[in-house]
Structures are given as C-alpha cells and as structure tokens.
Amino acid sequence: MLKTLLIASALMLTSFANMAKPIASDENNVMPLLNGHQIPAVTLQDVDGTSVDLATLVAQKPTIFFFYRGGWCPFCNSQMGQLKAIEPKLIEMGFQLVGISPDTPEKMRASLTDQKLDYLLLSDSSLTASQAFGLAYYTSANITQKYTASVVTNELFTTPQGEKRLVLPVPAVYLADTKGLIHFQYVNPNYKVRPAPELILAAAGLLAK
C-alpha cells in the first residue's frame, strides 16, 4: 500500500512539473523546474520554421538548454558567444547545445548569421516553453514601455489585472540526459549575471560520467 502511494505521489509530482505554469508577476517570483524534474514535452520552431519537439530532441543525446531574452539583449549575446567558445568541448563530451528565446525564427536566423553560431536556436515566441519551464514573467509597466519603444517587438500579454505587458523568460541553463531528466539548472532573476562557461563545463563533465 505504501509503495503504491509513493509511486502515485511521484507520478503526480512529475505531472505537476510538466504542466504549464502561470506567468509570474515579476522575475523574482518565477517557479522554475528543478533537478530531478523532466524536460517538458513542448514543440517549438527552428530558424527555418520547422517544428522541433523537445522530448524527441533530448532523446538523441544529452542536451544543454539555455533560455535567453532575445538577440536584442547585449548580455544574452555575450553569453551566446561564451557558449560558442566552449561548444567544441561540449560536443566532445557528447552534448548538444540548444538556445531558446521569444525571438521569431527570422530574428534567430539573424543571430546565427551575426554571431556565426553552429548550435540550434529555437523560437519560443508564444512563451510555451518559458511557461512550461516556469521561467516566464511579466515585466513592469516601465520596462514594457522602455523595451517596446526601442528594441523589442514581441507580442504583449494581458496580466490578471487586465494590463498589457511584455513577457520574458528569466535567463536559465538546464542540463538533461537522454531520458529528459534534469541534472543541473542555473536560474538567476538578475539578467546581467550568467553562469560562467567553466561552471557549465564542470556540470557537463559530471553528467557525462
């Protein structure tokens, strides 16, 4: 009886973890997936508009997913360059590198060209993956106005209070095995702080063992 209850509880936790989470009121109140959770079954688009299922993708080889705010963000571009530098070592360890952001496929294609990237970029313009990973949040009215007046053309979302706001993902890095199990995650509400490449390599090295 106890064993049955434990199995049922585990199934409920897994199911809850894979449910789309509500958009957080701000970046400090997101509820991200943690170590031990499964990568959600979400379908996104690559730069050519081709559908890519995350569950199918991660089954091919261990995967490093990184969520970024968009190609307009200088901190994101810096991180993308750092990941490009360590990509050969990650490939040698058997990993694939996948970037996810609210950018449209067209904007992502521009990022690939400008930065000469080889790794896969996936468009999450509907914020489906960002919500499933528990990373999506409403920006403030001031930030929404500032960003949409200058660099961001993303679709706005309606808050529970009826206000139109820009929704972004908190930048994050996830390492998952071929069964979709998360072994490492780094989520920081401060978008200016990203994990050091050495930390990602160390986490990848441990998972590879």
Side-chain angles (χ1 to χ4, degrees), residues 21-129:
K21 297 174 175 58
I23 299 173
S25 58
D26 58 52
E27 63 270 35
N28 295 309
N29 284 291
V30 294
M31 297 183 293
L33 294 182
L34 303 174
N35 295 352
H37 284 159
Q38 292 289 129
I39 294 296
V42 175
T43 299
L44 303 177
Q45 289 185 319
D46 64 15
V47 297
D48 297 318
T50 302
S51 295
V52 178
D53 178 69
L54 294 194
T56 302
L57 183 66
V58 78
Q60 299 173 3
K61 59 177 62 177
T63 306
I64 298 175
F65 293 102
F66 69 96
F67 284 80
Y68 65 101
R69 305 194 308 160
W72 51 269
C73 171
F75 298 95
C76 298
N77 286 326
S78 176
Q79 180 186 31
M80 293 169 77
Q82 291 175 348
L83 291 171
K84 174 186 176 181
I86 65 172
E87 184 184 17
K89 292 183 179 179
L90 294 174
I91 292 176
E92 186 178 339
M93 292 181 191
F95 286 86
Q96 60 182 339
L97 191 57
V98 180
I100 300 174
S101 91
D103 279 350
T104 62
E106 293 76 17
K107 290 181 179 178
M108 286 192 152
R109 189 180 298 110
S111 293
L112 282 177
T113 302
D114 293 342
Q115 298 204 49
K116 300 179 180 179
L117 304 176
D118 295 319
Y119 49 76
L120 179 64
L121 294 183
L122 297 177
S123 172
D124 185 32
S125 57
S126 65
L127 279 301
T128 303

Side-chain angles (χ1 to χ4, degrees), residues 138 140-141 156-165:
Y138 292 107
S140 67
L156 300 183
F157 288 69
T158 303
T159 69
Q161 294 75 32
E163 300 176 1
K164 291 289 187 179
R165 296 287 182 83

